[in-house]
Amino acid sequence: QLQLVESGGGLVQPGGSLRLSCAASGFSLDYYTIGWFRHAPGKEREGVVCINSGDGTTYYVDSVKGRYTISRDNAKNTVYLKMNSLRPSDTAVYYCAAGFAIRSTLGPEQYNCWGQGTQVTVSS
């Protein structure tokens, strides 16, 4: 059974940092492209970043480029999202998702396995 579980969300002040984790079970995540998405109330689900299977190259949406970093630890079967310089507009439920035979895409329809999400709130 394929499963992704996010953790690490919470409340942080503007300018602060968080590290989210996406732990995979039932499959080896290095065979999949892993994406992070976020969904804020009243807004569309938005792709944030993905890390490709195999070579581990990455693709970031412009609004987080230079502030967020995705990484993969194959030994732990976990993908991380380090978020720096957080803004109130980053507030959302963050989801990780896996897709097979895709590369460098932030289209949520391309991903077929999703976690349950973790809340990130950026507020003073």
Coordinates of all heavy atoms in Angstrom, one line a residue, residues 5 8 19 31 35 43 45 47 52 57 66 68 71 73 95 100 107:
V5 N 3.1 10.6 4.3 CA 2.7 11.3 5.5 C 3.6 12.5 5.7 O 4.8 12.4 5.8 CB 2.8 10.3 6.7 CG1 2.5 11.1 8.0 CG2 2.0 9.1 6.6
G8 N 5.7 18.4 10.4 CA 6.6 19.5 10.6 C 5.9 20.9 10.5 O 6.6 21.9 10.7
R19 N 10.8 23.3 8.6 CA 11.2 22.2 7.8 C 10.1 21.1 7.8 O 9.8 20.6 8.8 CB 12.5 21.5 8.2 CG 13.0 20.5 7.2 CD 14.3 19.8 7.6 NE 14.1 18.8 8.6 CZ 14.9 17.8 9.0 NH1 16.0 17.7 8.3 NH2 14.6 17.0 9.9
Y31 N 12.0 6.4 -7.1 CA 11.5 6.0 -8.4 C 10.4 7.0 -8.9 O 9.8 6.8 -10.0 CB 10.9 4.6 -8.4 CG 11.9 3.5 -8.4 CD1 12.4 2.9 -7.2 CD2 12.5 3.0 -9.5 CE1 13.3 1.9 -7.1 CE2 13.5 2.0 -9.5 CZ 13.9 1.5 -8.3 OH 14.8 0.5 -8.3
G35 N 6.4 16.0 -5.4 CA 6.1 17.4 -5.4 C 5.5 17.9 -4.1 O 4.9 17.1 -3.3
K43 N -8.4 29.8 -2.5 CA -7.4 29.8 -3.5 C -7.3 28.4 -4.1 O -7.7 27.4 -3.5 CB -6.0 30.2 -3.1 CG -6.0 31.7 -2.6 CD -4.6 32.1 -2.2 CE -4.5 33.5 -1.7 NZ -3.2 33.9 -1.3
R45 N -5.4 25.1 -5.5 CA -4.2 24.3 -5.1 C -3.0 24.7 -6.0 O -3.1 24.7 -7.2 CB -4.5 22.8 -5.2 CG -3.4 21.9 -4.8 CD -3.8 20.4 -4.8 NE -4.6 20.1 -6.0 CZ -5.1 18.9 -6.2 NH1 -5.0 17.9 -5.3 NH2 -5.8 18.7 -7.3
G47 N 1.1 24.3 -7.0 CA 2.4 23.6 -6.9 C 3.5 24.5 -6.5 O 3.6 25.6 -6.9
N52 N 12.8 15.5 -9.1 CA 12.6 14.4 -10.0 C 13.2 13.1 -9.5 O 14.1 13.1 -8.7 CB 13.3 14.8 -11.3 CG 12.6 15.9 -12.1 OD1 11.4 16.0 -12.1 ND2 13.4 16.8 -12.6
T57 N 17.0 16.3 -9.9 CA 16.9 17.7 -10.2 C 15.6 18.3 -9.7 O 14.6 17.5 -9.5 CB 17.1 17.9 -11.7 OG1 16.1 17.1 -12.4 CG2 18.5 17.5 -12.2
G66 N 14.6 30.5 -4.1 CA 15.6 31.2 -3.2 C 15.2 31.2 -1.8 O 16.1 31.5 -0.9
Y68 N 12.8 28.4 -0.5 CA 12.5 27.0 -0.2 C 13.6 26.1 -0.8 O 14.1 26.4 -1.9 CB 11.1 26.6 -0.7 CG 9.9 27.2 -0.1 CD1 10.0 28.3 0.8 CD2 8.7 26.6 -0.3 CE1 8.8 28.8 1.3 CE2 7.5 27.2 0.3 CZ 7.6 28.2 1.1 OH 6.5 28.8 1.7
S71 N 14.7 18.5 -0.7 CA 15.8 17.5 -0.6 C 15.2 16.1 -0.4 O 14.1 16.0 0.0 CB 16.9 17.8 0.4 OG 16.3 17.9 1.7
D73 N 16.2 12.1 1.1 CA 17.1 11.2 1.8 C 16.6 9.8 1.5 O 15.6 9.3 2.1 CB 17.0 11.5 3.3 CG 18.0 10.6 4.1 OD1 18.4 9.6 3.6 OD2 18.4 11.1 5.2
Y95 N 0.9 19.8 1.1 CA 0.8 18.4 0.8 C 2.0 18.0 0.0 O 2.5 18.7 -0.9 CB -0.5 18.2 -0.1 CG -1.8 18.6 0.5 CD1 -2.3 19.9 0.4 CD2 -2.6 17.6 1.2 CE1 -3.5 20.2 0.9 CE2 -3.8 18.0 1.7 CZ -4.2 19.3 1.6 OH -5.4 19.6 2.1
F100 N 4.6 9.0 -11.1 CA 5.4 8.1 -11.8 C 5.6 8.6 -13.3 O 4.6 9.0 -13.9 CB 4.9 6.7 -11.7 CG 5.8 5.7 -12.3 CD1 7.0 5.3 -11.7 CD2 5.4 5.1 -13.5 CE1 7.8 4.3 -12.3 CE2 6.3 4.1 -14.1 CZ 7.4 3.7 -13.5
G107 N 1.9 20.5 -12.0 CA 0.5 20.3 -12.3 C -0.1 19.2 -11.4 O 0.4 18.1 -11.5

